[in-house]
Amino acid sequence: MLEAIFLLPFAAGIVAFILPAQLGRALLVCTAIGHLVLGLMGWTGRLTPAYNQFFAGSPEGLLILMVTSFIFTCIALYSFSYVKETEISQKRVFNGCMLFFLGTMSMVTVSEHPLVLWIAIEATTLVSAPLIYIHRSQKALEATWKYVLICSVGIALALLGSFFVTLALDIVDTHQPLSFTMLNELAVQLDPVWLRVGFLFIVIGFGTKMGLAPMHTWLPDAHSEAPSPASALLSGALLNCAFLGIYKAHVLMVNAGLGDFSGNMLVVFGLISMVVGGVFILGQSDYKRMLAYSSIENMGIIAVGVGIGGLGLYGAFIHLIHHSLIKSSLFLSAGNILLGFGTKQVRQVGGIIRHMPKTFVTFFSGFVGIAGLPPFGLFVSEFMIIVAAVRAERYLGVAIFIAALVLVVGGAGRVVMGMSFNDSTETIAVRETFLRLIPAYTLLLASVVLCVWIPESLYTTILNSIQAIGGIHG
Amino acid sequence: MINILEVILVLILLTVLLSLGSTRLMALVRIMVLQGVLVSLIPLFLKSHEILTFGSVVFYLAMVIIKGILIPALLYRAVKHVSIQREIEPFVGYHASIVAGLAVLLAAVFMANSLKLTLPEGRELILVCAVTTMASGFFLMLARKKAITQVIGYLMLENGIYLIGNALTQHHHNLYIVEFGVLLDLLVAVMVMGIILNNINHAFDDVDTTLLGQLKD
């Protein structure tokens, strides 16, 4: 039963609200491992959906599910130690909401009905809001309010878009139940006007959640105010889920013969996001906000890759995997730094290399990875997208793309160098612990391994994901 | 039958204009009750609507309860709790808001007539009504300072979207269980917003959104 993939975290979440926090933490880790096993079973096709009208294991969905599950396992291990060492008044709420969050995100990845997908994405907003407010400060409150309101309104527009897509179906005489498969089969018969309007609203709506500029305004606040494990999950897993909604709509558009329209729109939104991310990283004074803007930039890269298609599409999926691994690792390192120095201000942090040498390794190599340098995978994916863009003769796009990358490397480099090597007289409040280091190392190691060796099944899954819209040579 | 439908649509438009001009929050909540119930009634009066089944009756009943009772009750509690009665100093004045609402209505009529969209017979008025409701909901969110008015604006936006989804599309594609899920999401969203509102009131002694401006670049 494929539905177990999201039912298990839901059930565990309810239990975690009742259990004492100590046991809840153990439950978090156990559920994460159980989820990983279920995800692998789904991946190998051993789980079949019980309600195949609503749920199905699509290759792109399963890919994002596996990324989510792997990251969540690492983050659960990290939280095990993190929650013990931080002042969180409602640890049960934290445990429960983390599990609900995993459940709703898994539901997004296996949904087959457009409205079920919408319900699941809206639910991710609602269950993750308490995570952002967990520190109960005025700033956290503001971030939570913005997050819930902006994302809810954005996602409401995506609902409107989904309704427009069903309107496009009205001129077709069919009695099949609504699903993505059915929409793709009938794509050429759909009303192109309503499809275009629908896609526009879906991109704006889910784009809000994915962090595409100019709808990204909630993202830096939420990522910087949330506790680090939650930030890592928001950035590494949630944004992918929103991307999945846009991707499914894009596949539909390509099948309907409107691929140029949707592709160009994705490229434009992607480039704007990259520039916004790059500009705001320059001179950023809060290192968690800096990581958040870097997420906006990377989501932009993914959108550009998908919009260009062909090799760029393959690159976009590679980018998605590696961005999730590296960015969540970086947020976990940032959590260690925040615990150690007690501040998010770049200026007040210095000499990580001396005070926290093990965190320095993860933080600095994370920076190297996110900057798009080898041996990490973002180098490969960005290269592929640039090659695809040059082949498609989109030179202006390539110029903006590269300029934004340079801005990010410059801006982030200044911040990371300062934090790592400057002199500092600060004393470290909380020492590094084994449990809070291993997850960050594991995530980075996974990125390096996937860069040099891609398992056969992963490779075919990516190819299957992009097969519907022309594949790697399209 | 079609006449009743038109009467309801006109009433919905009236609630939209009323909400734009209302100075008191309690009155706004009452208007939302009326609007929620009216919007839930629309599908019952559609010409092409199939014979009522047990599932559909339960669904419409649930919808009236959620839109007409549960959500307004949450809003009512929030207004009571934060003890504010009047929306003082809106960004855009009340009379100007009504004029803006009328302008939106005109634009919606123009759009529905000129775009030559493929719509089922006699549904243009629903489209006009839905677009006006959505745009006014957006306007309310932008033009008012109190956080609670923004929640109400969000609800109006949802009502408009709902009109498009339920009244405009042919019904057999969507299933009650799925629509119920959408509705449940809306209910939980308002609940979460209510909780945050309460906390904002505790932290700042007010629910003015201009106070929420500490985080920026």
Side-chain angles (χ1 to χ4, degrees), chain A residues 128-151:
Chain A
S128 55
L131 290 175
I132 298 174
Y133 183 52
I134 211 94
H135 285 313
R136 303 196 144 254
S137 65
Q138 287 192 357
K139 282 182 176 175
L141 193 56
E142 182 188 337
T144 317
W145 175 250
K146 277 189 189 167
Y147 174 60
V148 172
L149 202 72
I150 295 176
C151 284

Side-chain angles (χ1 to χ4, degrees), chain A residues 16-34:
Chain A
F17 268 103
I18 305 164
L19 283 184
Q22 204 82 24
L23 286 171
R25 278 209 301 279
L27 183 68
L28 197 63
V29 177
C30 295
T31 314
I33 293 166

Side-chain angles (χ1 to χ4, degrees), chain A residues 86-107:
Chain A
T86 35
E87 304 255 323
I88 292 178
S89 53
Q90 292 176 309
K91 294 187 174 172
R92 282 186 204 179
V93 174
F94 178 83
N95 292 332
C97 283
M98 284 288 271
L99 287 167
F100 281 147
F101 196 23
L102 176 68
T104 49
M105 285 192 295
S106 314
M107 192 169 157

Side-chain angles (χ1 to χ4, degrees), chain A residues 377-421:
Chain A
L378 294 189
F379 171 72
V380 184
S381 59
E382 284 168 10
F383 188 69
M384 282 178 186
I385 294 172
I386 291 175
V387 168
V390 170
R391 271 194 207 157
E393 299 182 350
R394 293 169 182 257
Y395 299 115
L396 180 66
V398 173
I400 300 175
F401 191 94
I402 294 175
L405 287 182
V406 172
L407 272 183
V408 169
V409 175
R414 191 189 59 88
V415 170
V416 173
M417 293 296 174
M419 286 170 66
S420 305
F421 304 113

Side-chain angles (χ1 to χ4, degrees), chain A residues 297-316:
Chain A
E297 185 242 355
N298 282 294
M299 287 300 127
I301 294 177
I302 294 174
V304 170
V306 172
I308 289 172
L311 188 61
L313 194 56
Y314 183 75

